Amino acid sequence: MEGIGFFALIIGAIFVNNVVLSQFLGICPFLGVSKDVKSSLGMGAAVLFVMLLATLVTYLLYVYVLEPLGLQYLQTIAYILVIAGLVQMVEIILKKIAPSLYQALGVFLPLITTNCAVLGVAINVIQKHMTLGQSIIYATGIAIGFTLALVIFAGLREQMELTGTPKGMRGVPIALVTAGILAMAFMGFNGLVPLP
């Protein structure tokens, strides 16, 4: 990971390694929350916040607890518990400190607990031997890429509601076809920057 710069890392995370469209992580919220752009932006903001916090905490947990004690095999279980706990803690804190932000995020915070993109990023930074700084940049890029894909897809779905989609293709079928075409469009970014 020494040879790749921060700019290449963030551009690669947003476009080349888009967590939804090339790694197929976070498909559940991608299909479920992408019915309108406003909801997509809310989900994207919540994912950015939780992904950054979860990556920071899980990285420190791995480097300072699991690895020194030889407990690397507990990585996935520990990460799942940490992510679930962080989401609950953030939800409680936001409810007390910033009720308006808590209301704005609404159902998005609990949905993040089951978003496998958060867990995938936490595992990827360890597997790719990233430093703490690279991990934070990578998590930021992945969250921005997730939000970008979600907002583009939501815009396309809103537009499709206004067009005459054939009856047999309405709803999930046309959404899946559109997601596939969007994934192929993002494949055009391959080779833009070296992959981490």
Side-chain angles (χ1 to χ4, degrees):
M1 282 304 306
E2 291 85 24
I4 190 165
F6 286 127
F7 182 73
L9 187 62
I10 199 163
I11 295 300
I14 294 171
F15 297 108
V16 180
N17 277 339
N18 189 286
V19 72
V20 177
L21 301 173
S22 69
Q23 297 179 28
F24 305 112
L25 296 173
I27 296 292
C28 218
F30 179 69
L31 292 174
V33 184
S34 61
K35 291 191 166 87
D36 64 86
V37 174
K38 186 177 179 184
S39 297
S40 298
L41 285 171
M43 181 65 168
V47 165
L48 175 66
F49 180 70
V50 170
M51 195 174 285
L52 280 172
L53 191 60
T55 301
L56 175 66
V57 171
T58 55
Y59 182 89
L60 295 174
L61 173 72
Y62 185 85
V63 170
Y64 294 110
V65 178
L66 297 179
E67 195 172 40
L69 297 175
L71 299 173
Q72 295 95 328
Y73 61 91
L74 293 175
Q75 178 186 20
T76 304
I77 293 170
Y79 284 11
I80 289 170
L81 292 174
V82 165
I83 291 167
L86 280 174
V87 170
Q88 291 303 313
M89 185 180 70
V90 166
E91 194 171 356
I92 291 168
I93 291 170
L94 282 180
K95 196 179 225 180
K96 297 275 186 199
I97 294 174
S100 59
L101 181 59
Y102 174 76
Q103 292 294 339
L105 292 176
V107 73
F108 302 128
L109 275 175
L111 277 176
I112 294 171
T113 306
T114 59
N115 188 347
C116 59
V118 177
L119 178 63
V121 169
I123 291 173
N124 273 345
V125 299
I126 297 300
Q127 287 179 345
K128 294 179 181 187
H129 306 290
M130 293 184 184
T131 64
L132 182 59
Q134 289 172 328
S135 300
I136 298 300
I137 297 296
Y138 182 72
T140 302
I142 290 291
I144 292 169
F146 179 84
T147 305
L148 178 69
L150 204 60
V151 168
I152 290 172
F153 190 58
L156 291 171
R157 286 183 79 175
E158 282 182 352
Q159 194 66 29
M160 284 185 296
E161 291 293 322
L162 303 174
T163 61
T165 307
K167 188 175 182 178
M169 289 296 289
R170 289 186 189 140
V172 175
I174 194 69
L176 292 174
V177 170
T178 305
I181 293 170
L182 190 58
M184 287 191 302
F186 268 70
M187 283 176 60
F189 293 114
N190 281 342
L192 184 67
V193 292
L195 293 175

